[in-house]
Amino acid sequence: MTDSSTHGHGAVPRITLDVELATDQYAAGGDQEVNIFLHVRAQGLGATAPDRAAGHSEVVIIDCSGSMGHPTLRKIAAARRAAEAAIAMLPEGTHFALIEGSHEARLAYPWDAGASPATVAITPQSRAQGIRTARALDAHGGTRISGWLELARRLLTTRPETTFRHALLLTDGRDEHGAAEELRRVLDACEGEFTCDALGIGEDWDAHQLLDIVGRLHGRAAAVDMAGPDSLQEQLTGMFRALVTASTARTLPQLAVRARPEPYLTLTLFRQLTPTVLDLTPEGERVSDDGRTVRFRTGAWGEESRWYELRLRADPGHPGYREARAAAGPVPVAALGIEAAAPADGMPAPVPPPDAVPRVRWTDDEPPLSRPGGAAWHLTRYDEMNQATRRGADALLQQRLEEAERELSAAVRLAHELGDAARLRRLGRLVRVLDPAAGRVAVHQALDLAQIQQAILASSYTEPPASGPAAGEPPGSEDDERPVVCPGCGERVPPGRYCIGCRHELAGAPR
């Protein structure tokens, strides 16, 4: 079942909401659970938005530990050029800072910050100074990511009037000098203050640590492919540019999804599925007197779309559940709505859609699966593939090879079923694929640690369902992983269905 609503006209910004159930119009009586998939789109934001550069703050964090210069200077040289490119493309008026990260966090730019470090506005002079500083970054010392994030928080919160605060973190290591408890404490302080994207380079970074950071700070994690066909410098610079483009393009400060389940149902899960998987359940706010209405803030938005999953569980002893099961037809299970924060700088307020009210038919029989190729089928299979990939990669890290082969077999079979050639190629770096349809694989005897970590990061990404009737295969030939030029932001980015930075569709994008 799909409830759709689109509101708005002309150049007025608008939000749309589509709802699809995992089992079409049915919910099984055995497990008393309903899965609902929500597609939220923000349109018309960029076309009507005035210049808001002064409302944006960017902090670039570069790992300058000694390992960035070992065994060669490739990593630190690529990091210098990427930081330079990020500063060069910031719109004039944007506030920015550059952090040099080692066993301590040092504010590399602005210079002479004194006892109260702060970001500085982009002007021709500050841009030139920031670029000069980026070119002089040197590799030395250890790694203490918690300290880097704490300094970023201090910098980004010195201007309370700033609407959009973003940090971009590059590291080739893990938080060794800061204890796990310290990192948790810092993330507690940073959560809700700014968003953070994180990139891993080399072999010694920790995928789970990066995912924890971006999960708490509503960002994205990705890895630089050291064995990729593109030069390290070109690849990293393209990733920096794409992520900074996406950050500076955000124009809507906050968008929230509101859910009000029927009295016999309890909300057990709300998570973002695309572009990356983020569990937002703990962040839900109960906003009605009876406690039934829950609001989930999804962060700042640009011109983009995201998919979410909402899970409800019925109380079999509740009178409302017995009435719903006795009903002759489908019954409402929740009211779902969108709330958009007032935009900054006089931008017209987005027009929200009417509330959506999905309905289900409760049954004791096994309900039919949602149609193959539909959005719910696509997202459910991607979730299964991502979980199998992560379990398999974790098993490889711990040398549990039989378990790894079993899990990666399932991941390969699902990737084949989904037609995701890019994911199959990634999995092929961990296992020899003998029969993708049957999931017959064999673990490679020699494995690259970086490839295992990259597989874990990839498991946090879900390709959105295609807008057409079937998902289809992502663009790109089966043996070509060369970056493509995004038609939206103009950056060279990894192949896929959407740009990792601006989320523009990459179909037909040139290489």
Side-chain angles (χ1 to χ4, degrees):
M1 179 193 73
T2 303
D3 290 334
S4 299
S5 57
T6 304
H7 217 126
H9 59 279
V12 177
R14 65 188 186 278
I15 311 296
T16 67
L17 170 65
D18 299 324
V19 174
E20 184 167 323
L21 296 175
T23 52
D24 294 325
Q25 293 187 5
Y26 296 85
D31 59 10
Q32 294 96 32
E33 197 165 75
V34 181
N35 278 41
I36 304 171
F37 296 93
L38 297 82
H39 186 204
V40 183
R41 287 173 289 183
Q43 299 171 292
L45 297 177
T48 59
D51 180 23
R52 281 179 303 279
H56 286 259
S57 287
E58 294 282 335
V59 171
V60 178
I61 308 171
I62 302 296
D63 184 340
C64 292
S65 59
S67 57
M68 285 289 285
H70 180 79
T72 70
L73 297 176
R74 288 178 68 217
K75 289 182 289 184
I76 191 65
R80 292 174 189 142
R81 183 59 62 90
E84 173 188 340
I87 295 169
M89 69 180 295
L90 289 173
E92 196 156 313
T94 303
H95 276 243
F96 82 107
L98 176 63
I99 292 177
E100 176 188 281
S102 62
H103 54 280
E104 60 183 5
R106 187 181 77 85
L107 180 59
Y109 190 84
W111 307 329
D112 303 323
S116 302
T119 56
V120 64
I122 283 279
T123 64
Q125 180 182 14
S126 66
R127 191 191 306 275
Q129 292 174 344
I131 288 173
R132 195 184 337 153
T133 304
R135 290 173 178 169
L137 292 173
D138 190 27
H140 63 280
T143 304
R144 190 179 180 185
I145 297 175
S146 58
W148 311 347
L149 291 172
E150 174 59 25
L151 178 55
R153 184 191 67 81
R154 291 169 57 198
L155 290 165
L156 288 166
T157 55
T158 54
R159 298 178 63 243
E161 71 276 13
T162 302
T163 306
F164 305 93
R165 303 167 181 163
H166 176 251
L168 177 53
L169 165 68
L170 172 71
T171 184
D172 80 331
R174 60 192 73 202
D175 204 356
E176 55 189 33
H177 291 280
E181 182 57 39
E182 181 183 356
L183 181 58
R184 282 194 294 269
R185 178 186 60 77
V186 169
L187 289 174
D188 286 342
C190 293
E191 190 171 9
E193 297 290 352
F194 63 95
T195 61
C196 179
D197 296 317
L199 300 177
I201 187 171
E203 293 188 349
D204 297 326
W205 48 276
D206 184 337
H208 288 292
Q209 190 171 84
L210 292 191
L211 288 174
D212 188 31
I213 291 169
V214 300
R216 296 287 301 276
L217 304 184
H218 288 205
R220 306 173 191 178
V224 181
D225 189 353
M226 303 294 288
D230 224 9
S231 75
L232 190 64
Q233 187 168 287
E234 186 176 357
Q235 185 186 167
L236 183 58
T237 297
M239 296 172 82
F240 264 51
R241 283 177 170 160
L243 291 168
V244 169
T245 295
S247 171
T248 55
R250 292 180 183 126
T251 54
L252 190 63
Q254 186 63 254
L255 188 148
V257 176
R258 184 185 66 253
R260 182 174 176 81
E262 289 296 308
Y264 64 91
L265 289 161
T266 300
L267 193 154
T268 59
L269 175 74
F270 183 79
R271 61 176 175 168
Q272 177 182 292
L273 295 177
T274 69
T276 55
V277 179
L278 297 173
D279 186 2
L280 303 177
T281 312
E283 301 175 30
E285 306 171 84
R286 299 199 176 272
V287 294
S288 62
D289 291 339
D290 59 9
R292 284 172 49 206
T293 304
V294 187
R295 180 170 58 205
F296 298 93
R297 299 179 187 272
T298 65
W301 282 61
E303 192 96 356
E304 60 184 301
S305 69
R306 304 177 194 174
W307 281 89
Y308 298 90
E309 179 186 6
L310 174 70
R311 194 172 298 170
L312 305 173
R313 179 173 289 275
D315 175 2
H318 196 286
Y321 177 63
R322 293 193 292 270
E323 292 174 10
R325 287 174 53 80
V331 295
V333 291
L336 308 173
I338 300 294
E339 299 175 3
D345 300 337
M347 173 182 161
V351 178
D355 284 3
V357 183
R359 297 170 177 268
V360 303
R361 184 192 301 273
W362 292 93
T363 175
D364 287 324
D365 302 323
E366 188 66 26
L369 292 174
S370 58
R371 65 189 185 280
W377 177 89
H378 175 95
L379 294 167
T380 300
R381 292 298 182 275
Y382 254 99
D383 183 50
E384 293 170 358
M385 179 180 67
N386 284 337
Q387 290 189 43
T389 299
R390 189 175 299 196
R391 289 193 298 264
D394 283 337
L396 285 178
L397 290 175
Q398 298 169 31
Q399 295 295 307
R400 302 195 308 269
L401 299 187
E402 288 187 11
E403 179 185 344
E405 189 168 295
R406 183 173 62 253
E407 295 292 350
L408 293 173
S409 166
V412 164
R413 179 178 52 78
L414 287 162
H416 175 78
E417 184 179 351
L418 286 159
D420 192 334
R423 189 64 69 92
L424 274 173
R425 288 193 296 271
R426 276 198 181 279
L427 290 167
R429 297 176 179 181
L430 306 182
V431 294
R432 188 160 55 97
V433 179
L434 305 172
D435 183 347
R440 282 204 311 120
V441 302
V443 174
H444 288 309
Q445 290 186 347
L447 288 168
D448 184 336
L449 177 60
Q451 300 292 354
I452 300 175
Q453 299 281 15
Q454 286 178 32
I456 294 172
L457 285 193
S459 71
S460 70
Y461 280 81
T462 301
E463 285 288 341
S467 55
E473 184 176 310
S477 64
E478 291 199 1
D479 59 352
D480 194 349
E481 289 189 335
R482 290 175 297 160
V484 298
V485 179
C486 173
C489 63
E491 298 301 330
R492 290 173 62 79
V493 297
R497 187 166 294 128
Y498 290 88
C499 171
I500 65 167
C502 69
R503 304 308 296 164
H504 194 284
E505 192 169 359
L506 295 177
R511 283 187 159 81

